[in-house]
């Protein structure tokens, strides 16, 4: 925790009160909180008129006295202090303190710190906004604290563009940070979906028994801003040299830089080096172990080592549980270090790739409570429901062929019950679709030319200019979404929604979703195939076989890219397989129109294992319907 600066006397008539204030400050620094409270109480009984200052300091000292765990009580007192203040910059009468920050100003900052550690980042940004708006008017030490917390909050909410602009404001306007050492600008990193989190310097509640803010000379303040500066530049894929200082924070940031540059092997080696060095030095903490295990899992997930990734995520959860056993009685720093939601999100994705949908669904239930505005998370939950339903169908078919009949699967009481069923999948997809359509209307295009990167113009940022950049950060905890990722996600939602509607018998919605899928821009060949297949099936089920045949024309399959089929985790691994599936469905449409001869001729060429058995069954059905061929032999 940061400590306050020693108070100074500024008026002749305050010798006795000033002496008590100095004693209180000294007792606080010595962790003699009971004695400090007694001195503050004595000051109040003497009629000291700096009421808000004493009230704030008494609340902070009481918080420290209880072991820094009663943050709810402190927050309530801070809320009352700021509510009673007439203005953010209220100046107290009575004792004047050297470079003294008003009680309401420090209370607002401390209140935002508590919300930050509680992972309530949006609320923390709102509470800190009045101080950020008058950052230039604050004294330098308080301005540095507010700037550090604001930068941490922007990074925590994945507002990377705005964080970089705010960093420029701190560097060029307020001169709070120096220029970071840059590397070769040609070494640009590629965009990644999810980067492993890096340990950032924690904000601390400012204890001000004297009512003063922390001076810039406080140890660690400059280092904190420097680390946040490097994190901001790395996350924005800027060429920057990271000089390791032997601490895990800078070493972990170097690993993250390797990850963003897609050098996954070096990123893993860097993390293992951190673990080995800290183990030898005896400085391993549950927070560090959680960070390393999670980041190793992210790396293995990125290179499709799903089983290894799941193991690392499970280890990270075990380490994190040591921190989160009793969060209500934990310190703010411990509460801030808990990352169960993010780890469970990662574990759920790994379980999906391992085709363990039930476990994946259970993992997603926890983060969806916090990240309920993330459309990608709702899509992942729907995918888990679909995969579980398909697995049950396979199991039912297998058991139906055995001698022992199986019991009928349970039927959910309500579609709103969080169970891995198609009914709940439909609910998830509606949420995902509504959110994605809303975010698409607010999507911000950012165009940066290569000339701007290589030869930037001199910057003169102002208080308002850093607020202009926008971030498409609507998929927290993942990084901001590109336009291509947004369109791919929209196509995946339409395809899944159409499939689920077909399974549930909602043919109208299935057709609507498939048509919207086919109308998407930059549609992949795989999604184009699915769109035509689902539209054709929906039309056939609506007794519109003639219209269905328009979607099942096999000629369009020959124009599809084979690579798009080979690289996907599904059954259609080749264009030949896709041709066979489309031709089979076209034969079904022909049979529904009683064009049996042409349908039978089409079925004769279907040899792929995916449709061979179904084609044989359909051919026998048509043989029975056509009757025996004159002069022929029964098949």
């Amino acid at each position: 925790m940061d400590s306050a600066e020693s108070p100074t006397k500024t008026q002749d008539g305050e010798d006795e009160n000033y002496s008590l204030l100095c004693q209180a400050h000294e007792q606080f620094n010595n962790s003699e909180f009971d004695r400090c409270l007694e001195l503050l109480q004595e000051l109040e009984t003497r009629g000291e008129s700096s009421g808000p200052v004493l009230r704030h300091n008494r609340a902070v000292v009481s918080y420290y006295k209880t072991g820094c765990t009663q943050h709810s009580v402190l927050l309530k007192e801070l809320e009352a202090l700021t509510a009673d203040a007439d203005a953010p910059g209220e100046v107290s009468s009575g004792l004047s303190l050297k470079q003294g920050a008003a009680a309401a100003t420090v209370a607002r900052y401390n209140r935002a710190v508590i919300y930050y550690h509680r992972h309530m980042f949006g609320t923390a940004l709102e509470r800190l906004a009045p101080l950020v708006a008058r950052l230039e008017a604050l004294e330098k030490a308080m301005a540095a604290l507010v700037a550090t917390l604001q930068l941490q909050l922007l990074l925590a909410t994945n507002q990377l563009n705005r964080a970089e602009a705010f960093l420029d404001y701190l560097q060029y306007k307020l001169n709070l940070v120096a220029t970071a050492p840059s590397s070769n600008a040609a070494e640009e990193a590629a965009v990644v979906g999810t980067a492993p989190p890096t340990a950032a310097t924690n904000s601390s509640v400012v204890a001000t028994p004297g009512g003063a803010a922390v001076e810039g000379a406080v140890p660690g303040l400059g280092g904190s801003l420097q680390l946040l500066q490097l994190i901001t530049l790395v996350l924005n894929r800027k060429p920057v040299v990271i000089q390791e200082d032997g601490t895990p924070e800078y070493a972990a940031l170097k690993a993250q830089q390797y990850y963003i540059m897609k050098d996954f092997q070096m990123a893993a080696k860097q993390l293992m080096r951190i673990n080995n060095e800290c183990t030898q030095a005896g400085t391993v903490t549950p927070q560090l172990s959680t960070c390393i295990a999670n980041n190793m899992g992210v790396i293995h997930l990125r290179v499709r080592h799903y089983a290894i990734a799941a193991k690392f995520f499970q280890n990270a959860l075990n380490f994190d549980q040591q921190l989160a056993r009793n969060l209500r009685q934990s310190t703010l720093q411990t509460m801030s270090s808990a990352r169960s939601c993010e780890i469970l999100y990662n574990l759920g994705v790994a379980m999906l790739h391992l085709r363990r949908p039930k476990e994946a669904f259970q993992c997603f239930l926890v983060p969806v409570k916090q990240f309920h505005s993330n459309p990608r998370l709702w899509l992942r939950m729907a995918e888990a429901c679909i995969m579980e339903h398909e697995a049950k169908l396979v199991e039912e078919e297998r058991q139906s062929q055995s001698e022992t009949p199986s019991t009928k699967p349970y039927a959910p009481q309500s579609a709103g019950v969080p169970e891995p069923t198609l009914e709940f999948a439909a609910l998830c997809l509606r949420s995902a679709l509504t959110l994605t359509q809303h975010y698409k209307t607010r999507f911000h295009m950012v165009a940066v030319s290569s000339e701007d990167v290589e030869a930037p113009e001199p910057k003169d940022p102002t208080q308002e200019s850093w607020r202009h950049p926008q971030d498409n950060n609507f998929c927290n905890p993942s990084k901001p979404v590109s336009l291509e990722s947004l369109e791919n996600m929209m196509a995946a939602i339409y395809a899944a929604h159409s499939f689920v509607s077909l399974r549930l018998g909602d043919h109208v919605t299935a057709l609507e979703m498939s048509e919207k899928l086919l109308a998407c821009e930059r549609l992949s060949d795989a999604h184009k195939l699915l769109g035509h297949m689902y539209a054709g099936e929906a039309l056939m089920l609506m007794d519109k076989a003639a219209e269905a045949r328009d979607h099942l024309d096999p000629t369009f399959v020959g124009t599809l890219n084979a690579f798009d089929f080979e690289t996907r985790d599904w059954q259609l691994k080749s264009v030949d397989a896709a041709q066979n599936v489309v031709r089979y469905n076209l034969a079904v449409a022909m049979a529904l129109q009683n064009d049996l001869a042409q349908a039978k001729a089409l079925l004769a060429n279907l040899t792929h294992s995916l449709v061979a058995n179904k084609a044989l069954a359909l051919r026998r059905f048509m043989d029975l319907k056509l009757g025996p061929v004159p002069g022929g032999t029964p098949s």
Side-chain angles (χ1 to χ4, degrees):
M1 291 292 179
D2 296 323
S3 59
E5 182 197 1
S6 300
T8 57
K9 182 180 70 171
T10 58
Q11 297 181 13
D12 295 336
E14 299 174 348
D15 290 349
E16 199 167 349
N17 287 352
Y18 171 73
S19 177
L20 288 174
L21 193 60
C22 288
Q23 292 179 42
H25 183 268
E26 182 179 358
Q27 295 297 329
F28 175 82
N29 289 336
N30 294 333
S31 299
E32 297 291 338
F33 304 123
D34 288 329
R35 179 55 182 160
C36 180
L37 287 173
E38 292 176 2
L39 293 171
L40 291 175
Q41 182 64 33
E42 185 175 349
L43 270 173
E44 189 170 4
T45 57
R46 286 174 174 268
E48 167 55 40
S49 56
S50 298
V53 175
L54 295 178
R55 182 180 171 187
H56 170 270
N57 294 342
R58 188 165 56 248
V60 173
V61 176
S62 299
Y63 167 74
Y64 275 84
K65 179 183 175 182
T66 58
C68 300
T69 58
Q70 301 298 322
H71 35 78
S72 297
V73 178
L74 175 61
L75 181 61
K76 184 177 180 180
E77 184 64 25
L78 294 176
E79 294 280 6
L81 267 172
T82 53
D84 294 342
D86 295 332
E90 176 194 49
V91 178
S92 303
S93 59
L95 289 178
S96 299
L97 305 173
K98 178 185 175 184
Q99 296 180 341
T105 299
V106 182
R108 282 184 170 86
Y109 170 79
N110 286 342
R111 184 177 56 171
V113 169
I114 294 175
Y115 284 120
Y116 167 79
H117 285 295
R118 284 184 168 186
H119 294 195
M120 299 172 66
F121 304 128
T123 305
L125 283 169
E126 293 176 3
R127 298 295 188 268
L128 197 64
L131 300 185
V132 177
R134 52 190 295 270
L135 198 59
E136 297 176 26
L138 298 176
E139 55 92 20
K140 189 172 183 180
M142 194 68 212
L145 287 171
V146 173
T148 300
L149 181 58
Q150 175 72 9
L151 196 54
Q152 285 179 299
L153 288 168
L154 292 175
L155 293 175
T157 52
N158 286 312
Q159 300 184 60
L160 304 185
N161 292 329
R162 186 169 290 180
E164 185 181 8
F166 184 68
L167 189 63
D168 290 337
Y169 170 67
L170 299 180
Q171 179 177 342
Y172 296 103
K173 190 70 175 179
L174 300 184
N175 197 27
L176 288 178
V177 291
T179 303
S182 62
S183 61
N184 185 1
E187 298 178 356
E188 279 296 315
V191 179
V192 295
T194 306
T198 302
T201 305
N202 290 330
S203 297
S204 301
V205 173
V206 182
T208 57
V214 181
E215 287 296 324
V218 173
L221 184 59
S224 173
L225 269 176
Q226 181 184 10
L227 177 60
L228 290 172
Q229 177 190 28
L230 292 175
I231 293 174
T232 303
L233 295 176
V234 167
L235 292 179
N236 280 284
R237 305 185 306 281
K238 302 298 181 182
V240 61
V241 176
I242 300 175
Q243 301 289 348
E244 295 188 41
D245 61 351
T247 60
E249 289 81 8
Y250 281 86
L253 182 58
K254 185 69 175 178
Q256 187 165 19
Q257 188 179 45
Y258 281 130
Y259 177 89
I260 292 177
M261 296 169 62
K262 295 187 178 181
D263 193 345
F264 306 120
Q265 186 175 8
M266 283 301 299
K269 288 182 178 179
Q270 181 78 357
L271 291 174
M272 293 307 298
R273 183 173 69 83
I274 298 172
N275 185 65
N276 294 336
E277 290 178 355
C278 291
T279 300
Q280 293 176 1
T283 57
V284 177
T285 61
Q287 293 93 328
L288 180 61
S289 298
T290 301
C291 178
I292 291 176
N294 177 74
N295 293 356
M296 287 293 291
V298 171
I299 292 172
H300 283 283
L301 189 65
R302 186 66 173 80
V303 296
R304 301 186 179 184
H305 297 163
Y306 303 125
I308 301 176
K311 182 63 177 177
F312 273 113
F313 291 140
Q314 288 168 343
N315 291 339
L317 274 179
N318 293 334
F319 291 128
D320 191 73
Q321 286 175 356
Q322 300 178 28
L323 299 170
R325 284 174 181 170
N326 189 6
L327 287 180
R328 293 184 181 276
Q329 299 298 323
S330 300
T331 63
L332 285 177
Q333 283 76 11
T334 300
M335 181 180 295
S336 178
S337 301
R339 287 288 184 267
S340 296
C341 284
E342 291 87 343
I343 300 170
L344 283 169
Y345 186 107
N346 294 338
L347 180 59
V349 174
M351 289 299 181
L352 270 183
H353 284 291
L354 291 172
R355 296 197 171 277
R356 296 167 61 180
K358 188 174 294 185
E359 292 92 333
F361 184 83
Q362 293 300 323
C363 289
F364 291 140
L365 283 178
V366 176
V368 79
K369 296 176 183 178
Q370 180 173 350
F371 306 112
H372 50 80
S373 297
N374 182 349
R376 184 176 289 160
L377 178 52
W378 288 109
L379 174 61
R380 296 289 175 258
M381 293 188 70
E383 289 174 341
C385 295
I386 294 171
M387 194 179 295
E388 175 67 13
H389 176 78
E390 295 303 298
K392 285 183 178 180
L393 289 182
V394 173
E395 180 65 19
E396 288 178 21
E397 184 178 357
R398 185 187 65 82
Q399 292 186 358
S400 65
Q401 297 173 357
S402 63
E403 297 181 358
T404 306
S406 61
T407 58
K408 188 176 181 179
Y410 67 90
Q413 296 181 354
S414 171
V417 176
E419 297 174 342
T421 62
L422 285 186
E423 290 80 7
F424 190 74
L427 185 64
C428 293
L429 290 168
R430 283 197 292 270
S431 299
L433 183 59
T434 302
L435 290 169
T436 307
Q437 290 174 337
H438 171 68
Y439 292 135
K440 191 173 183 179
T441 61
R442 299 169 50 195
F443 193 87
H444 298 278
M445 298 296 296
V446 180
V448 180
S449 65
S450 58
E451 296 179 358
D452 294 336
V453 176
E454 294 176 0
E457 298 180 359
K459 300 178 181 179
D460 186 22
T462 62
Q463 171 66 253
E464 296 300 326
S465 64
W466 69 266
R467 302 178 188 272
H468 294 160
Q470 301 292 330
D471 294 271
N472 302 302
N473 59 326
F474 45 78
C475 281
N476 286 324
S478 302
K479 292 297 177 278
V481 176
S482 64
L483 181 60
E484 183 179 1
S485 297
L486 180 66
E487 291 176 345
N488 289 338
M489 181 167 56
M490 182 76 79
I493 293 171
Y494 282 139
H497 206 333
S498 181
F499 175 83
V500 170
S501 298
L502 283 172
R503 287 294 196 194
L504 294 176
D506 187 357
H507 309 141
V508 175
T509 301
L511 179 61
E512 178 187 358
M513 293 297 108
S514 60
E515 289 177 343
K516 288 184 177 180
L517 172 61
L518 293 172
C520 289
E521 300 178 2
R522 303 182 188 179
L523 193 63
S524 67
D525 287 348
H527 281 123
K528 187 183 299 182
L529 173 66
L530 292 176
H532 285 294
M533 294 285 293
Y534 294 157
E537 184 175 352
L539 287 168
M540 283 190 284
L541 293 170
M542 296 167 66
D543 294 329
K544 298 180 180 180
E547 297 179 33
R549 292 179 64 169
D550 296 335
H551 286 281
L552 301 174
D553 185 3
T555 56
F556 85 90
V557 182
T559 64
L560 302 181
N561 184 7
F563 182 77
D564 201 17
F565 293 88
E566 296 169 358
T567 56
R568 292 183 179 270
D569 185 18
W570 63 346
Q571 292 178 313
L572 298 181
K573 289 295 186 182
S574 64
V575 174
D576 179 61
Q579 282 277 15
N580 275 258
V581 172
V582 172
R583 288 177 183 272
Y584 169 77
N585 283 276
L586 179 59
V588 174
M590 291 175 176
L592 290 174
Q593 290 184 292
N594 288 322
D595 193 355
L596 302 181
Q598 191 173 353
K600 190 174 181 180
L602 196 62
L603 290 173
N605 299 322
L606 303 185
T607 58
H608 198 278
S609 59
L610 284 176
V611 297
N613 293 334
K614 294 182 179 180
L616 178 60
L618 181 58
R619 191 160 55 244
R620 288 178 176 174
F621 168 77
M622 288 188 292
D623 288 340
L624 292 173
K625 197 166 184 178
L626 288 171
V629 180
T633 57
S635 58

